[in-house]
Structures are given as C-alpha cells and as structure tokens.
Amino acid sequence: MDRVLDEPLTKTLGPATAKVMAENLDLRTVGDLLHHYPRRYEERGQLTRLAELPLDEHVTVVAQVADARVLTFNGGRGRRLEVTITDGSGRLQLVFFGRGIHRPHKDLLPGTRAMFAGKVSMFNRKLQLAHPTYERLDADSGEGAVSAFAGKLIPIYPACKGLESWKIAKAVDAVLPHATEAVDPLPAALREGRGFVPLPQALLKIHRPQTKADVEDARQRLKWDEAFVLQVALARRRYADAQLPAVARRPVPDGLLDAFDARLPFTLTEGQRKVSAEIFGDLATEHPMHRLLQGEVGSGKTMVALRAMLTVVDAGGQAALLAPTEVLAQQHHRSVVEMMGDLAEGGMLGGAERATKVVLLTGSMGAASRRQALLDLVTGEAGIVIGTHALIEDKVQFHDLGLVVVDEQHRFGVEQRDALRGKGKQPPHLLVMTATPIPRTVAMTVFGDLETSVLDQLPAGRSPIASHVVPAADKPHFLARAWERVREEVEGGHQAYVVCPRIGDDLDQAAQPAGARRTSPEDEAEKRPPLAVLDVAGQLTAGPLKGLRVEVLHGRMAPDDKDDVMRRFAAGEVDVLVATTVIEVGVNVPNATAMVIMDADRFGVSQLHQLRGRVGRGSAPGLCLLVTEMPEASPARGRLAAVAATLDGFELSRIDLEQRREGDVLGQAQSGVRSSLRVLAVIEDEEIIAAARDEAVSVVTADPDLEGLPELRTALDALLDKDREQYLDKG
C-alpha cells in the first residue's frame, strides 16, 4: 500500500489538529484527508447569500465590512465591537466582546473583504455571528491580482466545531504534495478507454481546481473509483458464491407443486409466472441461488416463495421461511397452511397422499410443541418450517435444508444469514423477499451480491386508489369537502381511516420554543405541533363527522384495547378509525375505502405509500386524501403531489431517495463499507453504477484473484478490511 498515505496525520499536522480531525471527521491518515473532498466551491465573485442564512448552523460566508463601531455598556466597564457585513443580498451583524475586540477592530475596517465562519444565532430579532473566526481576503496589488482573486474557486469543506473550512483547506495544502503517490485502482485499459485523468491529478483538481471543468473531471473520475471498487467487491462475492456447491432441486412432475397449482382458485399473474421461472432456473443449478425478490405489499410474493418451497420439497429437500417477528411468522404460517389445505397435513389422517408437514418454530412456543417441531425437522417429516431467528439456534437440526426464504432482508442481520447457511449439508439456496421498493441502482449497490427479481403487477381483484392533495390553508373548503367524502363512503356502507402524526397525550407535546422566530407561512406550518389523534377525534365527533361511530387507535393503548378496536373495525362496528401509523403494518380491512392523512407533509414518501396501501383492498375503489397546510410552492407540497400522482412504489422510492440523502438509505446496508460513498450519488449516477458493474464483472471473470491488478487489490483492502469483507458477504 502507498506507505506515505498511511502515515498518521499527527506527523504532518501536529497532535492538536489531528485529534480534532480524528474525533469529529474520522480522518486519521494522510490518505483519509486526501479523500475528504470539498462539499462545494465558492466563487469569490458570487458570495454565499447572507439573505439565506440558516439559524443555528455553522456557516462560512464571504462578505465586505460595511461599518464597525465600539459600544460600551455596564457604565463604561464593558466594551463590545459590532461589525456589519454585507454581500449585496443582505446584511449580517458580527459581535466581539472584551479583550477579543482589539485584533478585529484593527483588521475589519470598512471596505475589507473577508471570509467569516461561525454559528448563526438570533439576538434582538436579528441574525448575528458572535465571535466568528475570519480570514481576510486582501487583494494586495493591481487590477490583475484583484480579478484573479475574484475569479478563484474557494473549496468549502465539510467542517465541524473547532475546524473551520479554511483550516481544513490549510491542512489539505500540507498533504496535497503526497497525492502524487496515490496508487491508481482503475486498470489502465479501463482508465484510458474512458478517458479519465489519473488519480493523483484527480485529487489535485478536486481540492485546488482552477476552473469548474477541473471539478467536473475530478468528480467523474472519483465517482468511477468508488463505484468500480465497490462493484468489484460485490462481483467477487458473487463469483465466490457461484463456486460454492449446492444440491440442484429440480421440479418433479405430479408432485406437491402440481397438486397445489391445480387447486389455485385464480391464475398467477404474468409477473408471478416470470419470476417463478427465474427462481426455478436458479434452483436447478449446482451452486446456490442468491436472489432478491421485490414486490409491493399485496403483489403475491408469498405465493411465489411458497411455490419455490414446494419445488424443493418435491425434490427431497426442506425449506425454511424466516420472518423478522413472531407475529409475522404466525401470519405466514397461517396463510401458508390455508393456501395448502390438506397438502399441509402430511402423515395425518385426511392429509393428501403427496402432503408434507408445515411446522411453526418461534421462541415463545411451549416445550412440548417445540420438541415435536424439532423432531419433525430432523426426521424430514416436516418439509416446510416457518419461524423467527429461533430457527437459527444450535439445537435446530434439519434433515436436508435446501432453501431458505428470508422475509424483509434489512431487519435480518448478518450472522443469522450465515448461521442458517451452515445448517445444510451443502449451502442452501437463498431467496430474500422485501416489500420496500428499492430503485435498481440501490439494489445494485446494497444488495449487489443478489440477483434481483421484481413483481410489479398487483394481482387481480385489487382496486385502484385515487389520491388527492387537500391544501387546508390555501383552500379551507377543500377540507370541508374531504369530510363530506368520508361521510359519503360511510353512507355507502364502507369505512374510513383518519391518520395523524401524534397521539396527543401530554407525553408527546412538541412545545413551541420560547422566542422562536415566526416568519414565512411555511415556518408557521412547520412550527405548529403536528395534529394529534385525540384532538382530531374530538373535533370530528363534535363537528363534521357527528353521528358516525368514531374510535381511536394508537401505540400507547393497552394491547387488549388495541385488539378490541381493530376487531370491531374489521367487523364493521366502527365507521371511522382515527389512528397513528400503527395501522401501517398488516391491517387488512377490505371494507375500508377512504383514508384521510392529516399533516401529510410530516410523513416520508414511502410511509405515505405504505399507509395508502391499507385502502382499496377490496372490490370498491379506494380514496386517499393528503391534508397539508404547507404553501403551494414548498418542497413538502411537491413531495405530496408526487405521491398523489403515482401508485408506483418504485417511482416513489426514487423521489424519496432524491430528497433524503443517500446516506440514510444505504445507512445500515452500507455499514460494512468504510468509505461510505463520498462523491457517488446513488440515484443521479445510475449510468456510472451500471457501467461500473459491467466492467467489474468482466475484470473479475478474467482474473478472479486480481493477480494482474495489484493496485486494485490494494484499493479493495482499503475499502473492505478483511472483517468487513465478511460483513458485506453476510449482510
């Protein structure tokens, strides 16, 4: 490895600065600092607008001193320096106190231009920076110097308390000469073929660009490094998996699967047939399947998984379905047993002749039923087992485990997937199901070691859902009409949900901070505490929904009360359920056709989509009304309009991702990778990721151990410390 880049920063920068960098920015070596890229660039001619400063954030501004005056207080004993700076868009007050006023009083004369950094606070209803640090930008001589100075790009680094952006810039200056020693991970043929600048040059250009084109060149090149090294790691994972042996499980004619298909009361959708074919193809090979099955709630994933499980049982193996919680495990067990009927009664009187046993295994089972389940597994009597991670305990032995189906990957940890692999005589086939729509590139990055199948059609019998935004502040009569619509649905024999962000007992009051500024209507709407279930239910029963049977449901109710309300709602004894997001998961009431979401802007895009999926589950069309007080041009309204405009979860998850930072999405899934993505944006850089994946596959196929590419191996080791490679493997 490039020894110089491994040198600790303490040697180059001194212990004090190095300590702050290590603690706050996780930068420990020369290489780490070289890869700490500027977040943006200021042109000295185009300054950060003072008019748009965010309260309570650390900012860096470039501005000119308009005036400076020293004021005394405390009967002349105390002195403070007030400096007003301006940049044409706005003015900002700086204050210095006590002894700290001497140097700025000399430095900050009217007309001086400088960079100022500090935390924006509020004093006497005006924004100010108290004791900012500053760096003068004096143009020493002549016109030429001034224009060169004004046109220069100033890198602004992600900074922290105690290390302003320009201090980081000075530290970068100290290590930048070492950039020439950076080892280039891209194979020469790839780099030249795509016309990329060499890595040392890219590092120089990103930190000290002369022009905007320099920044662009550098970013393109560094994005490729990130995408390519990550995709090589994933391609090596897939390659290694493909070398593992597995027992091929081929369909058997006239077995359980055929018997099951013959009884289905409906035909499979085109998508279900296509995905089943992909899975059967994988199961028939002699290395383990690793497949991710994505599909919306209700798209029939369980049916596809069950058909794969039956194929494996027909071929003499066993299948395990792992659910994240006991409740879900029990739900899966119930629905599988219902779908299979007497085919699930192997060894019992009245069971079909080709039947097998379907057992449930969870942590809270009684000792006797648990013993019986374990026995059925080890003898092979039970072809299918459904359970929580209790399945992974040492005591659980299988007769011949051929397929593992995992429901909701992201709740299912690393060690579990591995421990389960060890349960088969050879590694079992693996199918991961998720209801969270994941855009293609995120799937390629996060679940890059899995092949992906997507179920994107809803099965027949599901009704369309109409969604509309109700702007309560701009058009109050729209809200009144919304409640009329709810009444109409109830009069038509249907039921409705009203969802609120809060419960409304005092435990969750979001109190208005004292003295907070109230400015724009958007701030006003933001500042108001979110609407609460208890308040809204009271207002509705007294007002627009008077006379209807309205009940509340929220997370702090006793479990029995919750069950009771849900049971009565499902039985049609309640017209309108006013609830928090507790209804997001697993509530299935086909007769509920309308949903009104209050303060919809307080929910995430994906969450709104999941909530909306609770209506329109029967034959009557669904209606979802998104109520908001946000002004028309606000980003929040834009998000809601997007949700109203499409029922496609993939499209929405894309929008969601574009608005949140990638970091959140990759969050857990990426935690095995040290350099979380720095310049690569998962959504915008779709082409780069796809191209990098193809290049990575061809490189790894030609040279699995990367023997001819020592630089690439070095970069991989840096990305995946050995234990992390394990993590990526299992995650």
Side-chain angles (χ1 to χ4, degrees):
M1 174 86 196
D2 10 316
R3 292 271 70 83
V4 184
L5 298 197
D6 278 346
E7 268 185 17
L9 287 170
T10 35
K11 278 177 71 173
T12 326
L13 303 178
T17 309
K19 183 169 184 256
V20 180
M21 285 199 169
E23 286 173 5
N24 294 309
L25 299 168
D26 197 23
L27 305 175
R28 297 167 199 285
T29 64
V30 169
D32 289 346
L33 182 53
L34 283 174
H35 288 291
H36 184 69
Y37 309 132
R39 180 188 308 163
R40 57 192 170 84
Y41 302 85
E42 285 292 4
E43 290 179 77
R44 285 186 173 147
Q46 303 170 355
L47 312 172
T48 323
R49 294 169 52 80
L50 291 181
E52 293 159 13
L53 288 182
L55 193 60
D56 285 339
E57 281 189 27
H58 285 272
V59 297
T60 301
V61 297
V62 181
Q64 190 161 22
V65 177
D67 63 70
R69 55 189 184 281
V70 176
L71 304 170
T72 56
F73 56 95
N74 266 356
R77 287 197 298 281
R79 302 170 70 210
R80 77 172 181 269
L81 170 65
E82 289 189 356
V83 179
T84 308
I85 58 172
T86 174
D87 68 349
S89 76
R91 298 166 82 82
L92 179 67
Q93 188 102 39
L94 316 177
V95 285
F96 301 88
F97 293 100
R99 295 227 181 93
I101 74 174
H102 301 306
R103 195 179 140 232
H105 195 202
K106 278 212 308 278
D107 289 346
L108 301 176
L109 302 170
T112 310
R113 294 163 69 87
M115 275 206 281
F116 301 92
K119 189 172 174 186
V120 184
S121 59
M122 195 72 163
F123 182 71
N124 274 346
R125 312 192 47 192
K126 280 217 203 82
L127 291 182
Q128 69 167 26
L129 296 182
H131 279 278
T133 43
Y134 60 87
E135 174 107 336
R136 286 193 303 182
L137 303 174
D138 299 326
D140 297 331
S141 56
E143 270 307 295
V146 173
S147 59
F149 172 88
K152 194 165 164 208
L153 293 172
I154 305 171
I156 305 290
Y157 288 90
C160 62
K161 193 170 158 47
L163 264 191
E164 293 87 6
S165 169
W166 61 80
K167 286 194 181 153
I168 296 173
K170 285 195 169 130
V172 170
D173 284 336
V175 299
L176 209 49
H178 298 306
T180 52
E181 328 217 1
V183 172
D184 201 324
L186 292 190
L190 166 64
R191 191 177 67 232
E192 285 149 19
R194 291 184 174 266
F196 290 135
V197 298
L199 181 58
Q201 215 178 322
L203 290 170
L204 286 170
K205 284 184 167 189
I206 197 138
H207 287 294
R208 299 295 172 261
Q210 297 300 308
T211 61
K212 288 182 177 167
D214 281 353
V215 177
E216 207 29 58
D217 284 353
R219 287 178 70 90
Q220 282 306 101
R221 163 63 220 249
L222 295 166
K223 279 179 178 186
W224 251 89
D225 281 16
E226 281 180 18
F228 180 71
V229 174
L230 183 58
Q231 291 301 337
V232 167
L234 293 165
R236 290 186 72 191
R237 285 249 18 74
R238 291 193 300 275
Y239 183 85
D241 285 340
Q243 309 310 307
L244 291 172
V247 180
R249 311 280 177 176
R250 297 187 177 84
V252 173
D254 299 328
L256 269 170
L257 180 65
D258 287 351
F260 176 77
D261 282 350
R263 306 159 173 232
L264 278 180
F266 50 83
T267 53
L268 296 173
T269 65
E270 184 56 43
Q272 285 174 319
R273 278 203 293 275
K274 188 186 96 209
V275 170
S276 288
E278 291 172 350
I279 292 171
F280 292 158
D282 286 355
L283 289 173
T285 59
E286 310 214 321
H287 53 81
M289 161 168 85
H290 287 104
R291 193 167 278 283
L292 174 69
L293 172 57
Q294 295 179 255
E296 299 267 344
V297 175
S299 60
K301 294 185 297 295
T302 317
M303 169 66 67
V304 168
L306 179 56
R307 293 183 73 242
M309 289 157 84
L310 294 174
T311 302
V312 169
V313 176
D314 278 341
Q318 290 168 294
L321 169 59
L322 254 143
T325 64
E326 296 218 349
V327 177
L328 278 165
Q330 287 157 354
Q331 266 184 16
H332 275 309
H333 183 253
R334 261 201 313 276
S335 64
V336 165
V337 170
E338 274 169 23
M339 287 201 271
M340 286 176 63
D342 60 357
L343 295 176
E345 294 171 0
M348 294 156 75
L349 284 170
E353 71 219 58
R354 291 299 319 246
T356 186
K357 249 189 185 177
V358 179
V359 299
L360 176 68
L361 189 62
T362 63
S364 63
M365 279 167 74
S369 46
R370 189 179 167 84
R371 248 198 319 276
Q372 184 58 52
L374 290 172
L375 189 66
D376 288 340
L377 282 180
V378 76
T379 58
E381 188 87 356
I384 294 178
V385 57
I386 295 169
T388 53
H389 23 253
L391 272 179
I392 296 164
E393 289 170 17
D394 295 342
K395 298 195 267 305
V396 183
Q397 295 300 320
F398 290 85
H399 175 65
D400 178 12
L401 180 61
L403 168 68
V404 177
V405 180
V406 179
D407 185 17
E408 287 299 346
Q409 161 88 356
H410 48 272
R411 303 201 188 136
F412 186 67
V414 181
E415 295 75 24
Q416 287 108 322
R417 196 163 120 181
D418 232 33
L420 211 61
R421 268 185 189 166
K423 296 271 179 200
K425 297 191 172 79
Q426 287 189 321
H429 297 282
L430 175 71
L431 179 66
V432 174
M433 301 195 291
T434 175
T436 313
I438 305 167
R440 168 168 154 259
T441 43
V442 179
M444 279 201 275
T445 315
V446 177
F447 300 112
D449 56 338
L450 301 171
E451 299 296 328
T452 312
S453 298
V454 178
L455 279 175
D456 45 14
Q457 293 168 290
L458 285 185
R462 290 294 298 267
S463 306
I465 305 172
S467 308
H468 303 286
V469 178
V470 177
D474 313 352
K475 303 186 173 154
H477 58 286
F478 275 42
L479 184 57
R481 175 74 188 115
W483 300 126
E484 282 170 26
R485 283 291 291 115
V486 170
R487 279 195 105 90
E488 287 162 17
E489 289 297 313
V490 172
E491 280 156 15
H494 296 298
Q495 292 158 281
Y497 297 99
V498 177
V499 183
C500 306
R502 280 193 317 137
I503 297 172
D505 44 20
D506 290 338
L507 289 172
D508 64 1
Q509 289 297 359
Q512 171 74 21
R517 62 197 174 121
R518 293 171 162 271
T519 45
S520 68
E522 190 161 1
D523 274 3
E524 288 288 316
E526 276 287 359
K527 287 286 187 307
R528 173 177 62 64
L531 290 169
V533 167
L534 302 175
D535 307 345
V536 169
Q539 290 159 12
L540 291 176
T541 40
L545 301 186
K546 202 171 177 169
L548 300 187
R549 298 169 298 177
V550 177
E551 294 265 353
V552 299
L553 179 69
H554 59 75
R556 285 206 204 102
M557 288 164 58
D560 298 353
D561 298 347
K562 271 196 264 195
D563 292 346
D564 177 54
V565 171
M566 269 322 304
R567 197 185 44 67
R568 288 186 298 121
F569 187 64
E573 296 161 23
V574 173
D575 298 321
V576 179
L577 188 61
V578 183
T580 53
T581 53
V582 289
I583 61 157
E584 191 177 352
V585 196
V587 176
N588 189 12
V589 181
N591 190 43
T593 51
M595 177 178 286
V596 181
I597 302 179
M598 307 303 291
D599 278 342
D601 47 273
R602 308 282 175 119
F603 298 94
V605 169
S606 302
Q607 198 178 22
L608 289 169
H609 181 60
Q610 293 285 344
L611 283 168
R612 169 171 64 183
R614 300 283 134 222
V615 295
R617 298 176 86 87
S619 49
L623 171 69
C624 177
L625 301 174
L626 306 167
V627 179
T628 177
E629 293 191 357
M630 285 297 180
E632 194 158 357
S634 61
R637 276 282 283 277
R639 264 204 319 273
L640 296 179
V643 175
T646 176
L647 290 174
D648 176 348
F650 287 92
E651 184 51 39
L652 288 174
S653 71
R654 247 191 113 93
I655 294 165
D656 200 13
L657 254 180
E658 279 164 2
Q659 298 195 329
R660 291 187 305 169
R661 293 297 313 282
E662 260 77 27
D664 311 343
V665 183
L666 301 178
Q668 271 332 90
Q670 277 289 357
S671 51
V673 179
R674 180 168 65 200
S675 98
S676 60
L677 306 180
R678 292 191 176 101
V679 279
L680 195 67
V682 175
I683 291 290
E684 293 159 33
D685 299 326
E686 185 161 352
E687 288 82 45
I688 295 182
I689 294 172
R693 179 175 167 133
D694 295 343
E695 294 274 11
V697 170
S698 50
V699 165
V700 171
T701 313
D703 180 2
D705 290 329
L706 308 179
E707 280 170 5
L709 299 165
E711 296 85 357
L712 178 55
R713 286 186 65 156
T714 304
L716 266 185
D717 294 341
L719 178 71
L720 312 170
D721 300 331
K722 275 294 157 263
D723 52 357
R724 292 203 168 94
E725 178 134 32
Q726 288 300 302
Y727 181 99
L728 196 69
D729 162 20
K730 303 164 191 163

